[in-house]
Amino acid sequence: MQQLFTPEKKEKISSLIIRQIRTAIMQGRLKPGEALPPEKELITQFGVSKHTLREALRALEGMGLIVIRRGAGGGPVVSRVDWETARDSFADFLHFQDFSLGHLSEVRRIIEPYIARRAAEIFTPEADAELLALHAECRRLYDEGESLVGAEAEIMFHVLLGKHAGNPVLWVILDFVNNMLAEAKRKMKPGGDFCLMVLNGHQRIVDAVLARDPDGAERWMREHILEVERELERLHAQA
Amino acid sequence: MQQLFTPEKKEKISSLIIRQIRTAIMQGRLKPGEALPPEKELITQFGVSKHTLREALRALEGMGLIVIRRGAGGGPVVSRVDWETARDSFADFLHFQDFSLGHLSEVRRIIEPYIARRAAEIFTPEADAELLALHAECRRLYDEGESLVGAEAEIMFHVLLGKHAGNPVLWVILDFVNNMLAEAKRKMKPGGDFCLMVLNGHQRIVDAVLARDPDGAERWMREHILEVERELERLHAQA
DNA sequence: AGATGATTTTTGTCAACCAAATTTTTAAAT
DNA sequence: ATTTAAAAATTTGGTTGACAAAAATCATCT
């Protein structure tokens, strides 16, 4: 038999407080840097106990929406949600999905050639210099025999290309995918030949970007991504 | 002068508990569906007060990592982080970045034509049926004079194409971008001509996918995205 | 003026209590 | 024996009060 009445949902008080504060921030009624009233006052404003209020504040802190400092003049302050927090949440979600290296690589295959093309089109001399510095760092790592693959500099090489495209949405997708992939790559412990392949791939992309050759940059990036993908699959099959 | 000693960081107890439980889940030592000990026992295990423990549990609940039921046999249970939670977190982050409709549209321009091509390549008869049903629903909305743009069915049309590609990473990107864009579109209240344009665009894509014509699907999707983008910019300029 | 210590503000933690929700058990009735 | 209803047990939800710890401010002494 069908339910006749709605289940009269009793939401937890702390959830109500969380939503109130969160929507106030989202509607711009509370801006980053602005301080919320201290605990004592919030307790009276919301009409709840200290414990209950603190649960709400702790949850908001976990979301990265506020930071709480203690001591005189302290208290909860609205803050910008940083990328680390958002990325963690997204990684938590993906942990329960069944996805593979291939899925991450497919996303790269779609986005990164476009990014490389844009870089060749719009890079400024300053961006060129950053790219060269990062590539030099990659080469140094290789020359000193350290594992290039999965290293911070190798991730940043890819992320940097997107950084100057001025699209934050694209940028975070790029950052996320490359970081997830790097984590997996580090576990595989690829050999020196793999690193050399990566380095050469990067070299061709750098050359094309600096030569302001969008077609070349796009093509070499695609080659690079595919090469890496093939090699990772081979390593994965071995293990 | 350089600091001589580390600042002896005193992390909050609840944060320590949060991290312990979270890493236990991430390392697979706690699986979805598995119940954690009840409050009473966790209090003794961690050696903290009820209040402190509950703050930690509340934060974990906010992350979507656990759900808490009360009553006998209840208590905290590990759960899969759902997409809603992760999406909210990502939206919170983007709220503080300065990004525009153009940035969202650029992502669509890159991804959706590829998705349409893949759909034409791999769609099964069941997927075809789903697509047709959704398109019929879109047409019904238009015929009844309701605003098609920003409607649930219009979002789902785009998301469905990616759903059957079997790449969860790509799928969530698609879902996120289309939902963000839809929210913005709803606020603009576009007219009936806009809706007709969208409907015709969808029609061409459906035809190409059903005809198993990857080139056509890709091309028409690109046209569709660009058309919508131009129109949105025009509306935005008016306001 | 500058250092030092006391005071104040504000969060962090703990403890004990009662209320509400939900399952399990028990008991009764058919 | 099966179904139904009441009672009990379990577990979280919420309140109050108290004290500790951190950090800024203010007063005091040199």
Side-chain angles (χ1 to χ4, degrees), chain A residues 69-109:
Chain A
R69 295 192 321 271
R70 64 173 157 180
V77 176
V78 178
S79 76
R80 313 178 105 83
V81 176
D82 60 29
W83 171 230
E84 304 291 320
T85 306
R87 186 171 60 188
D88 281 355
S89 175
F90 197 62
D92 282 357
F93 164 73
L94 275 187
H95 178 260
F96 298 105
Q97 308 300 112
D98 68 342
F99 76 105
S100 65
L101 290 186
H103 294 138
L104 289 173
S105 199
E106 186 179 21
V107 177
R108 295 184 77 191
R109 235 161 45 214

Side-chain angles (χ1 to χ4, degrees), chain B:
Chain B
M1 171 170 158
Q2 191 120 14
Q3 271 192 353
L4 190 50
F5 297 108
T6 55
E8 186 70 45
K9 70 169 175 182
K10 282 171 192 162
E11 201 166 0
K12 269 173 287 200
I13 297 180
S14 51
S15 301
L16 296 174
I17 297 177
I18 292 170
R19 207 180 28 250
Q20 272 202 55
I21 296 180
R22 182 170 183 269
T23 60
I25 295 174
M26 286 305 143
Q27 290 173 356
R29 291 169 42 214
L30 285 171
K31 291 191 190 309
E34 219 170 305
L36 275 71
E39 258 186 20
K40 196 173 25 172
E41 212 174 306
L42 285 174
I43 287 169
T44 64
Q45 278 191 29
F46 283 111
V48 298
S49 80
K50 170 180 165 172
H51 186 132
T52 304
L53 177 80
R54 279 173 58 98
E55 280 183 19
L57 290 185
R58 185 71 67 237
L60 287 165
E61 197 182 35
M63 297 177 197
L65 283 170
I66 63 172
V67 292
I68 302 175
R69 296 193 320 272
R70 65 174 156 179
V77 176
V78 179
S79 76
R80 316 177 101 83
V81 176
D82 60 28
W83 171 230
E84 304 291 318
T85 306
R87 185 172 60 189
D88 282 354
S89 175
F90 197 62
D92 283 356
F93 164 73
L94 274 187
H95 178 260
F96 298 107
Q97 309 300 112
D98 67 342
F99 75 104
S100 66
L101 291 186
H103 294 139
L104 288 173
S105 199
E106 185 180 22
V107 176
R108 294 185 78 192
R109 237 162 44 215
I110 301 166
I111 293 180
E112 300 230 26
Y114 171 86
I115 291 286
R117 161 175 289 274
R118 290 289 293 153
E121 286 170 356
I122 66 170
F123 255 36
T124 60
E126 291 79 32
D128 286 346
E130 268 190 79
L131 187 64
L132 277 171
L134 212 41
H135 184 54
E137 170 70 9
C138 284
R139 181 170 294 281
R140 192 186 62 77
L141 284 175
Y142 176 76
D143 288 342
E144 293 180 3
E146 297 187 41
S147 178
L148 170 60
V149 176
E152 187 65 23
E154 199 240 332
I155 304 170
M156 281 309 297
F157 178 87
H158 287 272
V159 175
L160 173 67
L161 289 169
K163 196 174 112 187
H164 295 281
N167 185 336
V169 186
L170 213 42
W171 185 83
V172 296
I173 293 173
L174 209 55
D175 182 276
F176 179 80
V177 171
N178 274 288
N179 271 287
M180 290 291 286
L181 208 56
E183 200 177 315
K185 282 194 275 193
R186 273 194 293 272
K187 284 181 191 157
M188 289 187 170
K189 303 201 183 300
D193 49 343
F194 194 125
C195 294
L196 186 58
M197 181 194 76
V198 168
L199 197 61
N200 287 335
H202 284 198
Q203 182 68 59
R204 293 190 202 96
I205 296 162
V206 170
D207 290 343
V209 168
L210 264 60
R212 297 291 179 267
D213 171 16
D215 289 330
E218 181 175 340
R219 190 178 70 247
W220 288 121
M221 177 62 92
R222 181 170 290 113
E223 293 273 331
H224 173 55
I225 303 273
L226 287 172
E227 260 184 347
V228 170
E229 189 175 345
R230 274 195 300 269
E231 204 57 26
L232 284 180
E233 269 171 20
R234 209 177 54 77
L235 280 173
H236 190 70
Q238 282 183 355

Side-chain angles (χ1 to χ4, degrees), chain A residues 149-162:
Chain A
V149 176
E152 188 65 24
E154 199 241 331
I155 304 170
M156 282 309 296
F157 178 87
H158 286 274
V159 175
L160 174 67
L161 288 170

Side-chain angles (χ1 to χ4, degrees), chain A residues 29-114:
Chain A
R29 290 168 42 215
L30 285 171
K31 289 190 190 310
E34 217 169 306
L36 275 70
E39 260 186 15
K40 198 172 26 175
E41 212 173 306
L42 286 174
I43 287 170
T44 64
Q45 278 192 28
F46 283 111
V48 299
S49 80
K50 171 176 170 173
H51 185 130
T52 304
L53 175 81
R54 280 174 58 92
E55 281 183 19
L57 291 185
R58 183 74 66 235
L60 287 165
E61 197 183 34
M63 296 177 198
L65 284 170
I66 62 173
V67 291
I68 303 174
R69 295 192 321 271
R70 64 173 157 180
V77 176
V78 178
S79 76
R80 313 178 105 83
V81 176
D82 60 29
W83 171 230
E84 304 291 320
T85 306
R87 186 171 60 188
D88 281 355
S89 175
F90 197 62
D92 282 357
F93 164 73
L94 275 187
H95 178 260
F96 298 105
Q97 308 300 112
D98 68 342
F99 76 105
S100 65
L101 290 186
H103 294 138
L104 289 173
S105 199
E106 186 179 21
V107 177
R108 295 184 77 191
R109 235 161 45 214
I110 300 167
I111 293 180
E112 301 231 26
Y114 171 84

